[in-house]
């Protein structure tokens, strides 16, 4: 089964980007970094989401990111689905820091339990079929509204969401063009999906 091992963040200053993510979230994020001057503007078509077990952990992660230079898009708040907020990193990536729990049940820790790459798609049916043909296994599917793929031993969970609906979850203008400024390191070889997201095969 194909899975995601890591994500390469492409930034004008790769070292500065690496310093930010390490300072804000610690050294264990499955990210790599490389320099890129590929043109990009506006929303890049995805969010990188960190899932925590409780609101207090979300707050610690969010505040650490802001202190390291991130821009607040939406401060963490409770909602019907849980608790979370949205920020934009200094290199331009939109991140959501969330918890399905609305209550704290243990001492606060600057920790997350899952990393999710949520990618916008213009055609859910086509993208779902494409990824299945490239070895990913669907674990959840809600028609044209949402698709989630099984993770197994992968470091990052992949999910698809209609690009036009992204504004409701990411609180950003979904208009954008140019490079996504990421490359997905996966076990299934190298390919590019219908929305232009590039996968780079990694060693087994």
């Amino acid at each position: 089964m194909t899975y995601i091992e890591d994500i390469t963040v492409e930034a004008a200053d790769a070292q500065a980007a690496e310093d930010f993510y390490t300072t804000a979230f610690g050294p264990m994020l499955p990210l790599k970094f490389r320099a890129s001057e590929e043109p990009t503007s506006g929303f890049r078509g995805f969010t990188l989401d960190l899932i925590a077990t409780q609101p207090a952990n979300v707050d610690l992660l969010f505040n650490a990111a802001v202190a390291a230079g991130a821009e607040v898009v939406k401060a963490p708040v409770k909602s019907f689905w849980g608790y979370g907020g949205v920020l934009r990193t200094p290199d331009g990536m939109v991140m959501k820091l969330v918890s399905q729990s609305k209550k704290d049940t243990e001492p606060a820790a600057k920790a997350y339990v899952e990393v999710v790459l949520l990618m916008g798609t213009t055609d859910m049916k086509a993208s779902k079929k494409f990824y299945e043909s490239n070895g990913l296994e669907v674990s959840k599917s809600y028609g044209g509204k949402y698709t989630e793929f099984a993770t197994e031993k992968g470091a990052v969970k992949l999910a698809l969401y209609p690009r036009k609906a992204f504004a409701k979850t990411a609180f950003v203008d979904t208009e954008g063009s140019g490079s996504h400024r990421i490359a997905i390191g996966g076990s299934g070889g190298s390919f590019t999906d219908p929305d232009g997201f590039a996968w780079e095969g990694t060693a087994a």
Side-chain angles (χ1 to χ4, degrees):
M1 187 178 74
T2 299
Y3 57 88
I4 299 176
E5 284 191 353
D6 53 52
I7 297 171
T8 297
V9 177
E10 299 179 339
D13 188 334
Q15 186 59 58
E18 182 175 359
D19 291 345
F20 164 79
Y21 289 98
T22 301
T23 300
F25 307 116
M28 300 307 293
L29 266 181
L31 299 180
K32 296 179 179 179
F33 304 88
R34 67 185 177 209
S36 175
E37 296 291 347
E38 285 293 318
T40 186
S41 64
F43 182 53
R44 297 179 184 174
F46 72 94
T47 60
L48 187 67
D49 304 349
L50 302 187
I51 315 300
T53 58
Q54 60 180 9
N57 294 5
V58 171
D59 287 338
L60 287 178
L61 290 164
F62 198 93
N63 292 339
V66 173
E71 170 194 353
V72 176
V73 175
K74 184 175 178 60
V77 295
K78 288 183 180 179
S79 67
F80 71 93
W81 51 262
Y83 182 85
V86 183
L87 54 81
R88 193 185 304 273
T89 69
D91 61 274
M93 182 188 295
V94 176
M95 297 186 69
K96 291 187 291 182
L97 311 183
V98 301
S99 170
Q100 293 183 337
S101 174
K102 299 180 184 180
K103 295 182 179 180
D104 296 323
T105 58
E106 57 190 6
K110 198 178 83 169
Y112 53 90
V113 294
E114 190 172 40
V115 181
V116 180
L117 177 61
L118 184 58
M119 301 195 311
T121 179
T122 55
D123 187 332
M124 182 67 75
K125 183 177 180 180
S127 292
K128 178 181 174 182
K129 182 178 180 180
F130 175 86
Y131 276 111
E132 287 181 304
S133 71
N134 278 281
L136 281 86
E137 180 180 317
V138 174
S139 60
K140 295 180 182 179
S141 180
Y142 302 100
K145 296 181 179 180
Y146 180 80
T147 299
E148 184 177 291
F149 297 94
T151 308
E152 275 199 10
K153 57 182 179 179
V156 181
K157 178 180 289 185
L158 175 65
L160 303 177
Y161 199 76
R163 178 163 178 139
K164 289 185 178 180
F166 238 122
K168 295 180 180 180
T169 65
F171 300 94
V172 296
D173 185 339
T174 57
E175 293 301 316
S177 63
S179 173
H180 295 297
R181 286 285 185 98
I182 59 168
I184 303 164
S187 63
S190 299
F191 53 85
T192 300
D193 82 356
D195 296 288
F197 287 98
W199 286 60
E200 299 176 348
T202 59

